[in-house]
């Protein structure tokens, strides 16, 4: 039961994180523009913070006595930081006007990246740290680490989908950027306080945990682990490249409004969440190693090639939709949703499943169990 509460809180974290992303992206796009280079620069700064935060937390989480309490502190810090983000961004229009008139395009792009990083680094670093911290907290029970990874990753990404949709289609049209940011900040701080005062006391560690053997398969060491880490880093890079390129391609056909951004991003995230959750049964029954991950790589390559070949047919899909119905914003969004599902869903499912497969391949054949020794 207590794990279920943590999963719910982490889903809310995913929701608030993507609300922040949508709001902050909109603010920075108003300053820097909505060109492909500008959006890619902002996205790169955002993802860099997430990656660095996850790597750092993965190194230190084993020293934490109560990961849930640490998670709560992180969420409160993110919420407090979000409240001062508007003050930072208010300075940027003046800075942007200076750099665009006084330096070259290349130098201006670098400066914009540094300005984006200045906004995103602290909160995204903290957001990236939450998953390793909670994994450490939840794996001091009788379930293997992979079960917690799959569930946490899946529910967090599901929350992210809800955050994108809620922010874009409900909250932003009703209250605007400023109040949407404030609502998400308050929700993040509330999540942190619930984690600290309601859930964390149940996760205090006392003594040492026994380790017992589970289903055996070859353990990867040294070079094999390095190759898996490297290959999955390439998968992550290619996944982001797919998302950016396919979103821009769909935007060229259906338009590049904030609603188009939300639909394509939500479709991509929904596929990742579903892939991570659907693969759990296969892993629980088969306990696959690196061969299944390699097979997933091949399937992803084939799927990416196939869906990229489908992109030239998108204008015909839009024309057919308008000929059958009418030219309106509603049918435009419906066509974009259909195109996003057709192009993004299968690769996203594979990306979500492969995260779980690579974790299982790297996971030792042990689990924490039996309580304190």
């Amino acid at each position: 039961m207590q794990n279920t509460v943590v999963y719910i809180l982490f889903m809310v974290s995913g929701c608030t994180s993507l609300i922040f992303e949508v709001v902050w992206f909109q603010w920075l796009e108003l300053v820097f523009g909505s060109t492909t280079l500008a959006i890619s620069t902002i996205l790169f700064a955002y993802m860099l913070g997430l990656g660095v935060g996850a790597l750092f937390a993965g190194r230190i989480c084993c020293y934490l006595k109560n990961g849930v309490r640490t998670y709560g502190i992180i969420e409160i810090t993110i919420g407090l930081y979000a409240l001062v983000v508007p003050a930072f961004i208010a300075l940027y229009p003046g800075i942007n006007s200076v750099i665009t008139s006084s330096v070259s395009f290349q130098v201006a792009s670098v400066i914009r990246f540094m300005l984006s990083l200045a906004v995103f680094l602290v909160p995204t670093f903290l957001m990236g740290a939450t998953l390793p911290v909670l994994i450490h907290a939840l794996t001091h029970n009788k379930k293997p680490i992979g079960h917690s990874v799959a569930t946490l990753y899946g529910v967090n990404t599901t929350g992210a989908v809800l955050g994108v949709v809620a922010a874009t289609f409900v909250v932003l049209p009703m209250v605007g950027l400023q109040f949407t940011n404030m609502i998400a900040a308050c929700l993040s701080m509330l999540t942190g306080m619930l984690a600290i005062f309601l859930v964390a006391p149940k996760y205090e560690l006392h003594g040492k945990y026994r380790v017992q053997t589970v289903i055996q398969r070859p353990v990867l060491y040294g070079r094999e682990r390095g190759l898996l880490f490297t290959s999955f880093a390439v998968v992550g890079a290619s996944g982001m490249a797919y998302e950016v390129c396919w979103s821009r391609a769909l935007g060229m056909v259906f338009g590049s409004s904030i609603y188009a951004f939300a639909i394509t991003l939500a479709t991509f995230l929904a596929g990742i969440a579903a892939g991570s959750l659907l693969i759990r049964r296969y892993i629980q029954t088969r306990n696959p190693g690196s061969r299944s991950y390699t097979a997933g790589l091949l399937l992803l390559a084939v799927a990416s090639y196939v869906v990229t070949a489908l992109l030239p047919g998108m204008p015909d899909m839009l024309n057919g939709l308008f000929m059958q119905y009418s030219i309106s914003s509603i049918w435009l969004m419906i066509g974009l949703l259909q195109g996003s599902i057709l192009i993004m869903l299968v690769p996203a499912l594979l990306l979500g499943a492969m995260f779980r497969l690579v974790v299982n391949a790297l996971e030792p054949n042990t689990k924490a169990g039996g309580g304190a020794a």
Side-chain angles (χ1 to χ4, degrees), residues 134-146:
L134 284 183
I135 288 172
H136 173 73
L138 266 60
T139 50
H140 288 285
N141 55 33
K142 295 185 178 182
K143 291 180 181 178
I145 183 173

Side-chain angles (χ1 to χ4, degrees), residues 94-171:
I95 299 174
N96 189 58
S97 63
V98 171
I99 63 176
T100 52
S101 61
S102 59
V103 298
S104 66
F105 176 77
Q106 291 78 10
V107 175
S109 298
V110 174
I111 294 175
R112 290 190 183 104
F113 167 72
M114 298 305 296
L115 291 173
S116 300
L117 193 61
V119 173
F120 290 145
L121 185 58
V122 172
T124 55
F125 179 91
L126 294 172
M127 291 173 191
T130 54
L131 180 60
V133 165
L134 284 183
I135 288 172
H136 173 73
L138 266 60
T139 50
H140 288 285
N141 55 33
K142 295 185 178 182
K143 291 180 181 178
I145 183 173
H147 181 277
S148 296
V149 171
T151 307
L152 283 170
Y153 187 70
V155 299
N156 186 251
T157 310
T158 301
V161 176
L162 297 176
V164 171
V165 175
T168 306
F169 294 96
V170 181
V171 187

Side-chain angles (χ1 to χ4, degrees), residues 17 82-83 130 144 177 181 214 223 265 335:
S17 296
L83 293 177
T130 54
L177 289 171
N181 183 73
V214 294
R223 189 176 68 175
L265 181 59

Side-chain angles (χ1 to χ4, degrees), residues 27 90 97 117 120 125 132 140-141 153 178 187 189 220 253 282 293:
W27 263 327
S97 63
L117 193 61
F120 290 145
F125 179 91
H140 288 285
N141 55 33
Y153 187 70
Q178 188 83 32
L187 191 58
M189 289 187 285
L220 300 178
V253 177
Y282 171 75
Y293 169 71

Side-chain angles (χ1 to χ4, degrees), residues 75 85 146 162 164 172 188 192 210 242 248 254 268 289 316 332 368:
E75 284 297 316
V85 166
L162 297 176
V164 171
L172 273 175
S188 180
R210 295 195 299 269
Y242 291 148
R248 298 304 289 180
F254 296 96
F268 195 74
D316 292 335
L332 189 65

Side-chain angles (χ1 to χ4, degrees), residues 19 64 102 187 321 344 368:
I19 292 176
L64 300 176
S102 59
L187 191 58
L321 192 69
M344 293 184 171

Side-chain angles (χ1 to χ4, degrees), residues 18-142:
L18 264 291
I19 292 176
F20 289 140
E21 180 178 342
V22 170
V23 171
W24 298 346
F25 270 39
Q26 285 299 301
W27 263 327
L28 290 178
E29 283 184 14
L30 291 174
V31 178
F32 299 145
S34 58
T35 64
T36 301
L37 179 61
I39 293 175
S40 299
T41 300
I42 297 170
L43 184 62
F44 179 65
Y46 198 92
M47 299 306 297
L48 179 64
L50 291 176
V52 173
L55 286 173
F56 178 79
R59 295 288 185 180
I60 68 162
C61 64
C62 58
Y63 300 104
L64 300 176
K65 186 176 181 180
N66 193 314
V68 176
R69 180 174 291 115
T70 303
Y71 160 73
I73 294 171
I74 289 173
E75 284 297 316
I76 292 174
T77 306
I78 292 171
L80 291 173
Y81 183 91
L83 293 177
V84 302
V85 166
F88 290 149
I89 297 180
L91 303 173
Y92 283 13
I95 299 174
N96 189 58
S97 63
V98 171
I99 63 176
T100 52
S101 61
S102 59
V103 298
S104 66
F105 176 77
Q106 291 78 10
V107 175
S109 298
V110 174
I111 294 175
R112 290 190 183 104
F113 167 72
M114 298 305 296
L115 291 173
S116 300
L117 193 61
V119 173
F120 290 145
L121 185 58
V122 172
T124 55
F125 179 91
L126 294 172
M127 291 173 191
T130 54
L131 180 60
V133 165
L134 284 183
I135 288 172
H136 173 73
L138 266 60
T139 50
H140 288 285
N141 55 33
K142 295 185 178 182

